[in-house]
Amino acid sequence: MLKILAARFQQGFRTIGFPDKPPTIPDRLRGLPVIRPDQCRQSCQLCADVCPTGAIIPGVNGQKLQIDLGRCLFCGACAEVCQTGAVSFSNDPRLAVRQREDLVVGGSGIKLAKELDCKMFGRSIQFRQVSAGGCNGCEVDINVLTTVVFDLSRFGIKIVASPRHSDGLLITGPVTSNMKSATLDTYEAVPTPRLVVAVGTCAISGGIFRDHAEQNNGATELLPVDLFIPGCPPHPITILDGLLRLIGKIKEP
Ligand code: SF4
C-alpha cells in the first residue's frame, strides 16, 4: 500500500488541462492544412495526381485549390510534391465540423462544429462505439480518451456497452458489407433523440476503401451524422475537441 501511495505521489496529477489550457501537440502532427491558393501553379495538378483518395480539388478552371478533409488521409504527399508551397499542414488538431460540406477547406480555414441545438445532452452524454470495419486506429484513439491522461468522464461523456443505454453512436470504419446491418440495428436500438458521430476518414467517406464493392463509403450515406471528426486516425485531442464542441463545452473558434 505504501508503495502504491509513493508511486501516486511521485507521478502526481496526470490529467491534461485541456480545454482550459492548450494541449501539447507535437510539431510533426499533420492537422489543419494551410492552403495558399494564390501560390498554386494551377496547371500542374501534382497534388491531385499524388492523392490516394481524390481529396484534392485542384485549382483549375477558375476554381480555387481545396482539400476535402472528409477524404484526406493526412499522409502529407500533396505537401511534399507541391513545388510552390501552396499546400502545407499545420499541427492544429481542431478539425471537427457539423456539416459534411464544411470539411472542404480552402484558403479561409475551417468552420468548426457548433453546439447542438438540443440542450438535453448538455450535462451528460453516453456513446456506444461501433467499429464498422475499422482498422483499430480510430478505435484506439477513442479508447485512449478514457485513460487518466484525457479522462473523458470528467466532462460527463462515457462509452457504454449497450446502445439502449446510450445517447448516440461513435462510428469508425468504412461500414463494411458485413457490418452494415449491425450498424443500422445498433442505431435503431438507441433511444431518440440520438446522435451519430463519424470518427475518422473511413467513417466519413470510406477513406482508402472508398468505392470498394464490400463497403458503404462510411456512415455518411447511411445515417444522419451530427458530427464529423476527420483524420486517419484523428488525434485524441481532435476527437475530444469535437465532442466538447458538440455539447457546448468549447464555444470559441
Ligand atoms: S494529405 Fe490528404 S489531400 Fe494530401 S495527398 Fe494525402 S490524402 Fe491527399
Side-chain angles (χ1 to χ4, degrees):
M1 184 65 185
L2 281 176
K3 276 187 184 170
I4 293 172
L5 290 173
R8 288 287 298 149
F9 185 74
Q10 198 176 15
Q11 288 176 8
F13 188 72
R14 290 294 180 97
T15 306
I16 59 171
F18 183 81
D20 296 330
K21 294 179 189 165
T24 305
I25 300 291
D27 290 340
R28 65 181 181 169
L29 178 94
R30 290 193 198 99
L32 184 66
V34 180
I35 300 173
R36 301 179 182 87
D38 49 317
Q39 292 188 28
C40 178
R41 202 183 284 163
Q42 303 208 332
S43 57
C44 78
Q45 293 199 47
L46 288 172
C47 55
D49 291 344
V50 81
C51 180
T53 56
I56 299 269
I57 299 157
V60 291
N61 300 329
Q63 191 164 274
K64 300 268 189 195
L65 175 67
Q66 293 176 306
I67 295 181
D68 180 355
L69 298 184
R71 289 194 185 195
C72 180
L73 305 178
F74 296 80
C75 67
C78 51
E80 277 172 34
V81 83
C82 181
Q83 295 168 351
T84 61
V87 184
S88 59
F89 283 83
S90 73
N91 70 342
D92 186 346
R94 298 170 301 168
L95 300 170
V97 303
R98 294 289 310 278
Q99 307 294 332
R100 175 67 181 89
E101 57 268 25
D102 291 340
L103 287 174
V104 180
V105 297
S108 55
I110 190 168
K111 193 173 156 193
L112 292 168
K114 291 250 185 301
E115 184 180 0
L116 281 166
D117 300 330
C118 176
K119 297 287 180 199
M120 272 187 70
F121 299 114
R123 296 172 67 86
S124 170
I125 193 162
Q126 331 284 320
F127 285 105
R128 163 74 196 187
Q129 207 273 306
V130 179
S131 179
C135 69
N136 220 23
C138 296
E139 292 84 345
V140 165
D141 276 346
I142 291 171
N143 191 44
V144 83
L145 291 177
T146 64
T147 63
V148 68
V149 175
F150 297 95
D151 193 11
L152 189 64
S153 60
R154 72 191 147 125
F155 304 107
I157 306 172
K158 287 188 182 152
I159 312 292
V160 294
S162 168
R164 297 195 190 284
H165 300 161
S166 74
D167 301 301
L169 304 181
L170 293 178
I171 299 180
T172 53
V175 191
T176 54
S177 300
N178 285 342
M179 279 302 294
K180 181 179 175 183
S181 64
T183 304
L184 297 179
D185 288 350
T186 309
Y187 175 73
E188 288 304 325
V190 178
T192 56
R194 54 198 165 195
L195 299 170
V196 176
V197 180
V199 182
T201 300
C202 285
I204 296 172
S205 70
I208 199 75
F209 308 105
R210 183 174 179 81
D211 293 336
H212 189 284
E214 295 301 325
Q215 54 81 55
N216 292 279
N217 288 344
T220 306
E221 290 169 26
L222 298 174
L223 294 170
V225 177
D226 298 282
L227 183 69
F228 299 86
I229 304 179
C232 186
H235 191 283
I237 287 290
T238 305
I239 304 171
L240 183 56
D241 176 79
L243 295 177
L244 294 182
R245 285 177 192 279
L246 191 68
I247 60 173
K249 292 192 175 170
I250 296 179
K251 293 183 194 281
E252 78 281 7

